[in-house]
Amino acid sequence: MNTAVPDVVVIGGGVIGLSTALELQGRGLAVTVIERDPDGHSASTGNAGAFAFSDVEPLAAPGIMRRAPGWLLDPLGPLSIPPAYALRIAPWMLRFWRASWRDRHAGAVQAQAALMAQSQTALERLVTATDAGPLLRREGQLQLYDNAASFRASLNGWENRRAHDITFELIEDNPARIAELQPGLDARFRFAAFTPDWFNVTDPGQWHAYLRDCFLARGGQFRRANARALRPSLDHVNVETDGAPIRAGHVVLAAGAWSHHLARTMGERLPLETERGYNTTLPDPRFRQKTHLSFADHGFVVTKVGQGIRVGGAVELGGLHLPPNYRRADVLLDKAKAFLPGLNAQGGTQWMGFRPSMPDSLPVIGRSITAARIIHAFGHGHLGLTQSAGTATLVADLVTGVRPAIALAPYRPDRFAFARLAKPHLREN
Ligand SMILES: Cc1cc2nc3c(=O)[nH]c(=O)nc-3n(C[C@H](O)[C@H](O)[C@H](O)COP(=O)(O)OP(=O)(O)OC[C@H]3O[C@@H](n4cnc5c(N)ncnc54)[C@H](O)[C@@H]3O)c2cc1C
């Protein structure tokens, strides 16, 4: 069904926007996606490709603030704050710290687990509906620890996962078992955890393109446009753009790390920041990777992408405008060479992407604070691919007036204080 005025406009053609657009379309609605940079390399095309359904532990976990200063002392370590951004990020860090307290953390684990379960079911449905099975690799994940102390420190998190029926195998001082799961690792690794139900896309860029093709093939509209402001009224929403305004019955705001700018144009102040991440994709790794590898103490992963291997991770709290510091990608690659001694690291392509992140590691999914016809769907941090299909079903429930299968309170846009501005900002800043 295509009408001049779409039922729904989705702002943002990343994995959240496209998954949501497909779900809305499946429910019989006319959907237009607007994207300002259709050929760009957003977080959704360059990520590590993991459906990390077992990652129910939010980053803001008890003890993190004791570990963080050590990481921050190393300017090229797994967590960094460029001095030029330190003041800007301080309020977000304060909320992150509060979210790591035991009382809040327990609730966040519950919420994360509920969204993971919803997402896994929704993804399997999406894969069947779109024949996307060949775009997945079901090979599990091996999480590696440097030593007994760091393995033991992780056990609490594994207990949390057990409570949510996540299947895993703990490997304690057993290099033979590690070598069986992944030959070719450096002998230092004696402690690990294996999550067999974890899976990956064969290539995040290909997955993203496939979602877009499915959406277009089913009659969806995809327009290049830069949304500048949202103007809701009782029975519709106007999206102001650089060109003519676009009118719709509902708007889904899925603009990744830029979403809060558009929310501000309606008078909403949401503590969205970006955790910038880096990676290098190696075209000819000459390493037979059997499973997704995560190096828990170093904040990076090694994953198969197409015929190559992608090495990446790290968190740089540096905002949207500072230039990338690709030394971070170099450092991760150096570590990968040490941990996988046979790896051919020649000819790699470096990339930096913007994870859209809230202080409590939970996304924002819910009606806008100021306008019922605008649904927020952003802030998925490290887990946007993983939670894309589940987010899509919840957003579609809100648009179509169906009661969502899980409680949405933990993801509400107004869960942090001072969420309303006295006056809307007239334009995206
Ligand atoms: C290094 C790295 C590794 C990662 N690995 C994984 C992983 O293995 N598994 C996982 O689940 N997640 C992973 N993530 C996180 C995941 O990539 C993100 O959470 C996810 O891609 C966010 O999707 P999105 O659609 O919200 O945002 P994006 O992909 O950023 O898409 C938002 C889109 O909105 C557009 N846009 C913004 N503003 C406007 C506007 N005003 N008008 C029009 N268009 C606009 C942008 O151009 C962009 O294309 C990783 C991220 C990084 C950086």
Side-chain angles (χ1 to χ4, degrees), residues 118-135:
Q118 173 81 6
S119 297
Q120 190 158 5
T121 309
L123 178 74
E124 296 291 5
R125 226 178 29 240
L126 173 72
V127 168
T128 307
T130 58
D131 292 325
L135 299 186

Side-chain angles (χ1 to χ4, degrees), residues 71 74-80 298 314-315 328 331 335:
W71 291 332
D74 175 359
L76 292 173
L79 171 68
S80 62
H298 304 272
V315 167
R328 293 194 190 291
V331 167
K335 286 190 176 181

Side-chain angles (χ1 to χ4, degrees), residues 11-17 34-37 42-44 47-50 225-227 254-256 258 262 277-279 351 353-356 380-386 428:
I11 303 177
V15 72
I16 299 294
I34 65 175
E35 166 59 57
R36 65 180 168 202
D37 188 14
S42 69
S44 298
N47 62 49
N226 181 27
W258 298 267
L262 285 166
Y278 291 83
N279 60 38
W351 175 84
F354 297 103
R355 300 182 189 96
H380 296 75
H382 295 239
L383 294 167
L385 173 65
T386 308
E428 175 195 358

